Amino acid sequence: MKKKLLTTCLLLLAVVCANAQQEKKWYDNIKLSGYGMLQYQWQDKEETQSNSFNLRLLRMILDGKISDFDWRVQIQGTNAKGPGEPTVQLVDLYAEWVKHKEARIRVGQFKRAFTFENPTHPITQGWYAYADVINRLSGFGDRAGEKSSGGRDIGVQLQGDLFPASDGHRYLHYQVGVYNGEGINRSDKDNRKDIIGGLWVMPISGVRIGAFGWTGSHGDMLDPVANKNVSVPLNRYCLSAEYDKDEFTFRAEYLHSQGLAAKSIGSNEIDYSKGDKADGWYVFGIVPVVKSKLHAKARYQCYRQTKEWDSAKTMYEVGANYFITKNLEITAEYARVNDRTLNKHDYNFVDVELDFRF
């Protein structure tokens, strides 16, 4: 009797262990990660001087794999609306067929296939914010009035890497996507889709030279002259170059936009005074002073909201990033700003952040 009981217990233990191993394998395909960014900013802009600690953002990320598909869910919390009015929203939700490097298909909500800078994470991008021209012409706080969408939209994208080199990198990358054209968490407002594509060559490891194009529309815009809602055509392009290797990063991009602007971010009312063209550019370098510990950086950027110099906002920035550990860093930068849309063009700006990953 005892022998039978022992045998039964051993069999039950074997079944439990087998199930536990299966559960472990299931959990091995899911990864929880994220990061937080704490910020202090000071500026002496005329009539709007500020000096404040901010909670820049929190990201919670779930990545997983099912057969030949990768998937991601990403939620963001930020104080974008201002103190006491935090914004929590879904920013990424997609699945991607990744069986072949030459052709991968992504479906859901994700980064638009536009510019080198847009897809970089805020915590790895290296600056207090993306360049102004990226923010205004790539779907962050967009010129077209689209609410801040982190450069994302809902759609489907095909991308791939072709022609492998002997060192493992690939010489050519392509990507093309079809999107609603309204930003995150919004359905299409005019039943017309945006088409965005990019192509770049990588002649040697670490170097990318590329170009991007975007054609589409922004729906449900209020025309104050005709007093009715209309769809505003949108056409943009970007020229890009980058070197990123061994902790050295140099990048330059020029963006051009054709299409009427909204009165402000998040507004759907057309502002004819801003014209139908805008452009801008940036160039920066980040170099290691002490490898894996201290980086120095400098950036020059300019955004012209009417493609005229009297609407230009130019920033000259210098700073440093100090890595306390691999997952904990302090960043600091100073900028001299020249904004020709203000009565007093020149002012100073300082940003200091404590950023961490988990």
Side-chain angles (χ1 to χ4, degrees):
M1 184 70 177
K2 290 182 179 180
K3 187 176 181 180
K4 288 183 179 180
L5 181 59
L6 179 60
T7 303
T8 302
C9 290
L10 289 174
L11 286 172
L12 287 172
L13 182 60
V15 171
V16 170
C17 289
N19 288 335
Q21 288 178 350
Q22 288 178 355
E23 289 181 359
K24 184 178 179 182
K25 289 180 181 178
W26 181 78
Y27 283 117
D28 281 346
N29 288 330
I30 296 179
K31 178 185 176 183
L32 172 65
S33 62
Y35 52 89
M37 308 182 77
L38 310 175
Q39 181 183 67
Y40 168 81
Q41 284 190 345
W42 171 90
Q43 62 179 4
D44 61 355
K45 185 192 300 185
E46 187 179 32
E47 297 181 357
T48 57
Q49 296 184 18
S50 63
N51 171 5
S52 179
F53 293 104
N54 303 309
L55 304 177
R56 181 178 170 188
L57 62 81
L58 169 69
R59 290 272 177 89
M60 302 288 289
I61 307 166
L62 274 179
D63 289 302
K65 187 174 184 65
I66 303 172
S67 185
D68 294 326
F69 287 82
D70 289 347
W71 58 265
R72 166 169 285 194
V73 178
Q74 184 171 199
I75 296 173
Q76 174 178 289
T78 179
N79 65 343
K81 287 187 177 180
E85 294 185 89
T87 298
V88 177
Q89 59 184 348
L90 180 68
V91 290
D92 280 322
L93 177 60
Y94 65 81
E96 183 173 17
W97 183 64
V98 294
K99 186 174 183 179
H100 303 290
K101 288 184 178 180
E102 294 79 7
R104 305 188 301 276
I105 301 173
R106 181 178 295 184
V107 180
Q109 181 166 283
F110 49 87
K111 288 281 192 176
R112 290 175 167 117
F114 195 66
T115 80
F116 284 165
E117 179 143 318
N118 179 18
T120 58
H121 294 296
I123 199 168
T124 57
Q125 188 261 347
W127 297 90
Y128 83 94
Y130 297 95
D132 260 6
V133 67
I134 298 294
N135 286 326
R136 302 307 176 209
L137 302 183
S138 192
F140 287 78
D142 203 275
R143 163 185 166 86
E146 176 186 299
K147 68 176 183 177
S148 182
S149 295
R152 295 169 170 84
D153 206 339
I154 304 172
V156 58
Q157 174 182 284
L158 171 66
Q159 64 177 335
D161 297 284
L162 307 175
F163 312 123
S166 58
D167 63 358
H169 89 279
R170 301 217 167 197
Y171 287 113
L172 182 68
H173 175 90
Y174 72 91
Q175 54 190 48
V176 59
V178 180
Y179 310 86
N180 281 340
E182 306 295 341
I184 61 174
N185 306 322
R186 298 189 77 200
S187 59
D188 202 330
K189 301 301 179 183
D190 60 3
N191 296 319
R192 298 166 60 186
K193 299 296 181 283
D194 285 12
I195 300 174
I196 305 175
L199 185 73
W200 62 78
V201 295
M202 294 163 280
I204 60 174
S205 178
V207 173
R208 296 191 293 171
I209 302 170
F212 301 83
W214 178 345
T215 184
S217 64
H218 196 61
D220 199 31
M221 296 289 287
L222 176 63
D223 186 335
V225 176
N227 195 29
K228 65 178 182 179
N229 287 358
V230 298
S231 291
V232 175
L234 186 66
N235 296 289
R236 293 174 176 173
Y237 68 83
C238 173
L239 303 176
S240 310
E242 179 187 75
Y243 175 81
D244 186 5
K245 191 174 182 179
D246 299 329
E247 299 185 30
F248 288 86
T249 304
F250 301 93
R251 187 185 305 136
E253 295 194 282
Y254 171 81
L255 283 75
H256 181 277
S257 176
Q258 182 274 321
L260 292 169
K263 291 192 75 171
S264 60
I265 299 168
S267 168
N268 74 328
E269 184 176 341
I270 295 172
D271 185 350
Y272 283 101
S273 69
K274 294 179 181 177
D276 73 340
K277 291 182 181 179
D279 72 347
W281 55 88
Y282 73 88
V283 57
F284 76 69
I286 301 177
V287 301
V289 177
V290 179
K291 190 173 177 62
S292 302
K293 202 69 178 177
L294 178 64
H295 292 171
K297 59 186 181 181
R299 179 169 69 173
Y300 164 71
Q301 60 166 310
C302 179
Y303 172 63
R304 302 189 300 178
Q305 69 175 0
T306 64
K307 204 184 174 184
E308 299 291 343
W309 280 109
D310 60 4
S311 70
K313 179 182 177 182
T314 306
M315 297 182 70
Y316 306 87
E317 303 163 74
V318 293
N321 301 333
Y322 178 71
F323 297 85
I324 301 171
T325 69
K326 180 182 178 180
N327 294 321
L328 181 65
E329 66 176 301
I330 297 174
T331 69
E333 60 191 88
Y334 163 79
R336 182 64 173 173
V337 186
N338 178 272
D339 188 342
R340 300 190 184 187
T341 65
L342 302 176
N343 292 326
K344 183 181 178 182
H345 297 341
D346 299 312
Y347 64 92
N348 301 293
F349 172 85
V350 172
D351 180 274
V352 181
E353 294 187 18
L354 177 65
D355 303 334
F356 59 89
R357 309 166 192 258
F358 54 89

